[in-house]
Amino acid sequence: QVQLQESGPGLVKPSETLSLTCSVSGGSISSYYWTWIRQPAGEGLEWIGHIYTTGSTNYNPSLKSRVTMSIDTSKNQFSLKLTSVTAADTAVYYCARTSAGAGLLYWFDPWGQGTLVTVSS
Amino acid sequence: DIQMTQSPSSLSASVGDRVTITCRASQSISSYLNWYQQKPGKAPKLLIYAASSLQSGVPSRFSGSGSGTDFTLTVSSLQPEDFASYYCQQSYSTPWTFGQGTKVEIK
């Protein structure tokens, strides 16, 4: 059974770079899309973007100028970097495996447990 | 971006009630619609994909329907473990977007 685990600093200073890694266990990272999603406290879910095992990416335009995703298939890990963070980037960050169905169907399952990142000086 | 609007934003219901949550897309998304359940402090869990396909392991009291712009998630007989927030999500076009969520509370 595939499991995902996010890791990284829980506190980041304003204007600095948020860096998170998602470790995948119980299965191969190959042949899937891998997604980052965030959720500010008490709010809804925001898709940040995804990366395929080839390294191709698709980012949310609202964050595109600040986001970089990468993947290391040898370590079964993928990563998120978000630059120039502000308090508005404070959220729980989730990683998720993205499966593809027929046509344009994509869904997120499973998810990591999430990690809270607070942006504060 | 495709806007996803859920209604109601919250509801109170009793164990055994039939509950229906609606999700409306700002444009047609065919059947590219998924539903998730989220309990406090936990990650979302996939319930339904492709508008009406039940994810493996999800109880059959959950069902989904709809296509185009209007979708529903129904819980046929609400159980204590179903009190949670529910989100719809479209994958018709990026950026993939979620509804704002519906919180199901105990009456």
Side-chain angles (χ1 to χ4, degrees):
Chain A
Q1 182 173 346
V2 174
Q3 293 185 310
L4 288 75
Q5 177 69 58
E6 305 88 350
S7 60
L11 181 64
V12 181
K13 290 182 167 57
S15 80
E16 296 191 345
T17 296
L18 177 160
S19 296
L20 295 174
T21 295
C22 183
S23 299
V24 180
S25 60
S28 174
I29 202 170
S30 297
S31 303
Y32 283 97
Y33 293 88
W34 300 92
T35 292
W36 289 96
I37 293 161
R38 70 180 183 178
Q39 185 175 36
E43 298 186 25
L45 299 157
E46 180 180 31
W47 176 75
I48 299 170
H50 66 239
I51 186 167
Y52 191 60
T53 49
T54 57
S56 66
T57 56
N58 192 328
Y59 302 143
N60 192 322
S62 68
L63 298 167
K64 187 174 183 176
S65 64
R66 299 194 290 131
V67 170
T68 303
M69 295 182 186
S70 59
I71 193 164
D72 187 336
T73 55
S74 66
K75 293 183 178 178
N76 251 27
Q77 292 179 337
F78 61 103
S79 298
L80 168 70
K81 291 189 185 299
L82 182 65
T83 62
S84 305
V85 297
T86 69
D89 296 309
T90 295
V92 175
Y93 285 75
Y94 296 101
C95 58
R97 186 180 71 177
T98 304
S99 296
L104 300 172
L105 183 65
Y106 297 89
W107 64 89
F108 310 126
D109 180 68
W111 297 54
Q113 66 184 27
T115 187
L116 174 62
V117 178
T118 301
V119 178
S120 176
S121 56
Chain B
D1 299 5
I2 296 177
Q3 305 299 318
M4 307 300 292
T5 303
Q6 290 181 230
S7 60
S9 295
S10 65
L11 65 91
S12 295
S14 301
V15 173
D17 283 354
R18 181 183 181 88
V19 169
T20 297
I21 297 168
T22 297
C23 178
R24 175 164 288 175
S26 59
Q27 66 179 76
S28 177
I29 58 170
S30 185
S31 295
Y32 301 122
L33 188 284
N34 308 309
W35 289 97
Y36 302 86
Q37 176 194 64
Q38 185 179 33
K39 296 182 180 180
K42 300 294 187 182
K45 169 190 168 185
L46 178 70
L47 296 176
I48 303 280
Y49 61 96
S52 61
S53 296
L54 194 67
Q55 172 68 347
S56 175
V58 174
S60 59
R61 62 181 179 273
F62 290 93
S63 64
S65 65
S67 66
T69 60
D70 294 320
F71 303 85
T72 59
L73 173 70
T74 299
V75 188
S76 60
S77 178
L78 203 64
Q79 297 302 299
E81 60 268 31
D82 301 335
F83 291 94
S85 294
Y86 294 84
Y87 294 89
C88 60
Q89 172 250 324
Q90 65 81 20
S91 67
Y92 180 81
S93 68
T94 58
W96 296 334
T97 49
F98 294 86
Q100 82 280 13
T102 296
K103 187 174 183 178
V104 177
E105 299 176 302
I106 300 173
K107 181 183 283 184

